[in-house]
Amino acid sequence: MFAISSISHTGSIYIVVAVNVERYIAVCHPLKAASFCTISRAIKTSMGVVMMCVLYNVPRYFEVYLKWDWVPEFNQTMLVVGISDMSYNYWYLTVYLVYINVIVKFVIPGVLLIILNTIMVRKLYRTKPNLQKQERKGSEKERFTAMVLAVVVVFLVSLAAACMELIMYEVNSAITLDECSEICGYVSGVSQISVVINSAVNFILFCFLGRKFRGVFVKKSLSCCRR
């Protein structure tokens, strides 16, 4: 289950990155958007992200193993989960779980998001709108900028909290929460909460700050209710 959770977390990170790349092409290279930003490419990109996340998290399946063991609390032999020897291996525990994870899950997506959104915001504010539509386009820019910044800030805060959890485990040389110091419990709790909030808050931000998204959502909701 933890491997599936890690796959989902990694996938959510790179789906957000993929969406930002698509948004970057649409804003900064509008003439190429029609050929690049298509449904078929979106499906292929999503499938590629899923495959990459599954392959990247394959070692997670070997962290633990199942075995039959006597459980005194229940006074019977039961199927229990044991920690494999690989979990204590330096290359897995330190190199893979900490260094590579920090680079793949935090550094790469974080840097890409900051660069792409900085370029997009600068591009929008450099574009000179027509005099007749200046006021309307100005307000659209402000809404778009606010929505982009809100999504990216929430996302980066979530990544930072999860990154802190990995660093705390490495500093304490711990594999499980029980082996870590007391502060690990607080850091781990904040990390888990931030991941859950980040997975659900983007929809709220889009509805609250994106007028077009909100309009489409209301229209689709009403059409479903009428059926």
Side-chain angles (χ1 to χ4, degrees):
M1 289 300 294
F2 186 76
I4 296 176
S5 174
S6 183
I7 290 172
S8 301
H9 184 216
T10 309
S12 67
I13 292 173
Y14 281 93
I15 286 295
V16 170
V17 173
V19 169
N20 274 263
V21 171
E22 184 271 340
R23 189 181 299 161
Y24 163 79
I25 295 174
V27 172
C28 299
H29 304 281
L31 297 180
K32 297 180 181 179
S35 59
F36 279 94
C37 304
T38 62
I39 295 178
S40 62
R41 284 185 182 272
I43 294 174
K44 291 177 182 178
T45 301
S46 299
M47 294 301 296
V49 169
V50 171
M51 291 179 62
M52 183 272 290
C53 294
V54 171
L55 292 175
Y56 175 73
N57 286 282
V58 164
R60 295 280 191 172
Y61 285 97
F62 300 97
E63 281 185 351
V64 296
Y65 63 93
L66 297 177
K67 64 177 181 178
W68 290 97
D69 200 0
W70 177 259
V71 182
E73 292 82 358
F74 296 96
N75 196 30
Q76 61 178 336
T77 300
M78 300 178 63
L79 191 64
V80 297
V81 176
I83 299 177
S84 67
D85 293 336
M86 190 191 75
S87 297
Y88 296 94
N89 184 279
Y90 168 80
W91 293 101
Y92 176 77
L93 183 61
T94 301
V95 176
Y96 174 75
L97 280 187
V98 179
Y99 299 142
I100 296 179
N101 248 355
V102 167
I103 293 173
V104 172
K105 288 187 176 182
F106 311 115
V107 176
I108 293 176
V111 170
L112 285 175
L113 287 174
I114 292 173
I115 292 175
L116 290 176
N117 285 283
T118 299
I119 294 174
M120 281 191 290
V121 171
R122 292 185 65 182
K123 174 70 175 180
L124 283 173
Y125 277 94
R126 284 180 176 178
T127 303
K128 300 295 183 182
N130 295 328
L131 294 176
Q132 300 88 344
K133 300 180 180 180
Q134 186 170 2
E135 183 177 351
R136 181 174 63 83
K137 285 184 177 279
S139 62
E140 288 179 358
K141 286 182 180 180
E142 292 177 358
R143 282 195 298 270
F144 178 84
T145 303
M147 182 173 66
V148 167
L149 291 178
V151 170
V152 172
V153 167
V154 171
F155 190 74
L156 292 178
V157 169
S158 171
L159 288 183
C163 184
M164 281 298 299
E165 182 182 21
L166 288 177
I167 294 174
M168 285 300 302
Y169 275 72
E170 171 61 14
V171 169
N172 287 267
S173 300
I175 297 177
T176 64
L177 187 61
D178 294 334
E179 299 175 2
C180 202
S181 63
E182 184 178 355
I183 194 173
C184 282
Y186 299 106
V187 175
S188 180
V190 172
S191 172
Q192 299 301 322
I193 292 174
S194 66
V195 170
V196 173
I197 292 175
N198 179 67
S199 64
V201 77
N202 284 349
F203 176 78
I204 299 174
L205 292 174
F206 284 135
C207 283
F208 184 73
L209 298 172
R211 185 173 62 182
K212 291 183 179 180
F213 186 91
R214 186 168 59 248
V216 172
F217 172 72
V218 172
K219 183 178 179 180
K220 294 294 183 180
S221 299
L222 291 176
S223 63
C224 291
C225 292
R226 289 171 183 172
R227 294 177 184 176

